[in-house]
Amino acid sequence: MWVMAAQVKRAFKYRFYPTQAQAAELSRTFGCVRKVYNLALAARTEAWTLNRERVGYNATSAMLTAWKKTEELAYLTQVSSVPLQQALRHLQTAFTHFFAKRAGYPRFKSRKRSRRSAEYTASGFRFRDGELTLAKMAEPLAIVWSRPLPEEARPSTVTVSQDAAGRWFVSLLCQDPAVRPLPVTGGTVGIDAGLDHLLTLSTGEKITNPRHERHDRTRLAKAQRELSRKAKGDGANQAKARRRVARIHARIADRRRDFLHKITTRLVRDNQTLVIEDLTVRNMLKNRSLARAIGDAAWSEFRRMLEYKATWYGREVIAVDRWFPSSKLCSACGNRQSDMPLHVRAWTCGCGTSHDRDVNAAKNILAAGLAVTACGAGVRPQRDSSRTGRSAVKQETPRREP
């Protein structure tokens, strides 16, 4: 059975190779976008601090017009006005999230650390016959079309960015008619995240942790040592060394992202209901002995991908309480063990059932998630009282990286 749903807007990201003139124009645009964002943030902060006055998008847009007329900021007229206006809209969105208590107070953009990007709406680019031309540019971008756009796609926005490794990317936001709910299936699966195995499923399948960062750790350490030896003020050599480090980080991130995309897509296609743990990865990263391994596992990114793909394809993702003692319960009889040290990877319950620790935990996670569904939204398993007041640390993670 198919379930009809509205079309989904999807971003298609491609790498491109700008000419020298295009790279210079985009670099100027990135700088102007950052400047306008920071000026508007400073004006809004000052208005609230001094007069308790809220300044909205319309007021900052009028300020932008006035800034362009000054001698000091006249260079803002040299780039397209579209990404500058988009920067003001992004700032307005940031304040909206702040006032709704969904995010912290907006921060100023740094020239060295902030993402170099600019967003163009339909009036700031031309997409025709498979060629994309941005405002203030005479030639189209040399894009590597690694995958086709949807038929008759009309991008609503285009975002151009440059990463720390110096690579240029363009992201086109389009309606994708191919994204629609999959046929309903009765498959359900519980997912236990770990470090020895990245994921353990309630079906008994174990997905090996590829440890992308550890495979390139030697190269990364060497590049970082070379960067640390560069003298301050040696701009060209220091920039080259910094770019080498960034390329290694980019390689690691690309492989990790590709692996997670493949795993999450398969899980969503094969199962109607997916149950995971509601882990607080931010708190777990405070553990110095495990922070590197947990960051490399990218549990938060796995959950993010799983949730948006489940929304696209008509699946359901349930997160059970992080305090649920999934490792201590027998999935056969429900008996709870008083203690379950981390070194115990297999154990036998009093009922005679032998368990693999991770598979048993995944089965308990699935059962708890299905119980949440049966009881209604918002119901969570009972919190483990023995851990009251302690920071959230996943019970299944070992004390040191294997």
Side-chain angles (χ1 to χ4, degrees):
M1 180 176 74
W2 290 89
V3 180
M4 299 303 296
Q7 288 188 358
V8 172
K9 280 193 173 183
R10 184 176 182 182
F12 292 82
K13 190 175 182 179
Y14 304 93
R15 190 172 180 180
F16 74 98
Y17 297 86
T19 63
Q20 187 174 1
Q22 290 174 339
E25 175 64 28
L26 289 173
S27 295
R28 282 195 299 270
T29 303
F30 295 158
C32 291
V33 166
R34 183 180 63 253
K35 182 67 173 180
V36 168
Y37 186 95
N38 288 342
L39 287 173
L41 176 55
R44 296 180 67 147
T45 302
E46 182 180 1
W48 176 256
T49 303
L50 298 180
N51 305 319
R52 288 295 186 267
E53 176 186 358
R54 287 192 179 183
V55 176
Y57 164 76
N58 292 332
T60 54
S61 181
M63 291 179 186
L64 175 58
T65 302
W67 292 334
K68 290 181 177 180
K69 295 179 181 179
T70 64
E71 182 178 355
E72 181 183 2
L73 299 174
Y75 61 85
L76 295 177
T77 60
Q78 299 176 4
V79 301
S80 172
S81 62
V82 175
L84 304 184
Q85 292 289 344
Q86 287 300 101
L88 298 180
R89 292 189 178 94
H90 293 163
L91 179 60
Q92 178 62 37
T93 301
F95 270 104
T96 300
H97 291 321
F98 168 70
F99 289 126
K101 297 183 179 180
R102 293 191 296 266
Y105 193 81
R107 297 181 179 180
F108 290 96
K109 293 185 179 295
S110 167
R111 182 175 65 86
K112 293 183 179 180
R113 297 183 179 181
S114 297
R115 181 171 179 257
R116 291 165 55 84
S117 66
E119 185 178 85
Y120 294 80
T121 56
S123 60
F125 66 88
R126 182 177 70 251
F127 184 72
R128 186 179 302 167
D129 299 329
E131 293 185 335
L132 177 67
T133 307
L134 301 178
K136 300 284 186 177
M137 293 186 186
E139 300 178 0
L141 300 180
I143 301 175
V144 179
W145 299 101
S146 53
R147 55 175 174 168
L149 283 173
E151 295 183 5
E152 300 180 359
R154 295 182 179 179
S156 57
T157 62
V158 169
T159 302
V160 182
S161 61
Q162 185 184 27
D163 66 7
R167 302 179 300 177
W168 295 85
F169 295 96
V170 59
S171 180
L172 293 82
L173 186 64
C174 310
Q175 293 280 0
D176 189 0
V179 176
R180 55 179 179 175
L182 296 171
V184 177
T185 177
T188 58
V189 67
I191 305 172
D192 178 63
L195 294 180
D196 187 17
H197 293 88
L198 182 64
L199 302 173
T200 301
L201 309 184
S202 56
T203 59
E205 178 185 358
K206 292 187 176 183
I207 299 174
T208 303
N209 186 355
R211 304 182 190 277
H212 299 290
E213 186 271 340
R214 194 168 71 173
H215 288 172
D216 278 343
R217 188 173 297 173
T218 302
R219 294 178 58 214
L220 180 60
K222 180 180 178 181
Q224 289 174 330
R225 283 196 301 270
E226 293 176 353
L227 174 60
S228 67
R229 294 191 185 110
K230 301 301 178 184
K232 292 184 178 179
D234 189 2
N237 289 332
Q238 196 174 43
K240 290 179 182 178
R242 186 179 293 109
R243 196 173 296 114
R244 281 194 290 269
V245 173
R247 287 197 188 107
I248 299 174
H249 279 297
R251 169 185 167 88
I252 295 171
D254 289 345
R255 290 187 301 173
R256 181 188 296 125
R257 189 181 305 109
D258 178 70
F259 181 78
L260 291 178
H261 270 301
K262 292 175 180 176
I263 293 298
T264 52
T265 298
R266 177 170 71 87
L267 291 173
V268 168
R269 284 179 176 172
D270 295 345
N271 300 279
Q272 183 67 32
T273 303
L274 305 100
V275 186
I276 59 177
E277 290 179 284
D278 185 20
L279 300 176
T280 51
V281 179
R282 178 180 299 180
N283 289 343
M284 298 169 68
L285 289 173
K286 296 177 183 178
N287 185 327
R288 294 184 179 181
S289 62
L290 290 176
R292 171 177 269 179
I294 293 173
D296 191 26
W299 293 333
S300 295
E301 182 66 7
F302 166 77
R303 176 172 177 173
R304 187 189 70 85
M305 289 184 181
L306 196 69
E307 288 179 337
Y308 82 71
K309 290 180 182 181
T311 302
W312 281 2
Y313 298 113
R315 304 311 199 199
E316 182 181 17
V317 174
I318 302 172
V320 302
D321 196 296
R322 66 182 66 98
W323 301 103
F324 177 63
S326 57
S327 297
K328 297 181 180 180
L329 294 177
C330 173
S331 58
C333 67
N335 183 46
R336 177 172 174 174
Q337 303 297 310
S338 59
D339 190 23
M340 185 64 61
L342 290 172
H343 68 271
V344 177
R345 310 313 301 175
W347 57 282
T348 301
C349 179
C351 67
T353 305
S354 297
H355 295 292
D356 176 283
R357 180 191 183 105
D358 297 331
V359 175
N360 176 68
K363 291 180 179 179
N364 287 326
I365 289 171
L366 174 60
L370 296 180
V372 169
T373 304
C375 296
V379 178
R380 286 185 167 185
Q382 185 177 359
R383 176 170 173 167
D384 185 354
S385 59
S386 64
R387 299 181 62 87
T388 301
R390 298 179 60 182
S391 61
V393 178
K394 185 173 174 14
Q395 299 179 41
E396 286 75 8
T397 51
R399 296 189 181 278
R400 64 184 62 181
E401 183 182 358

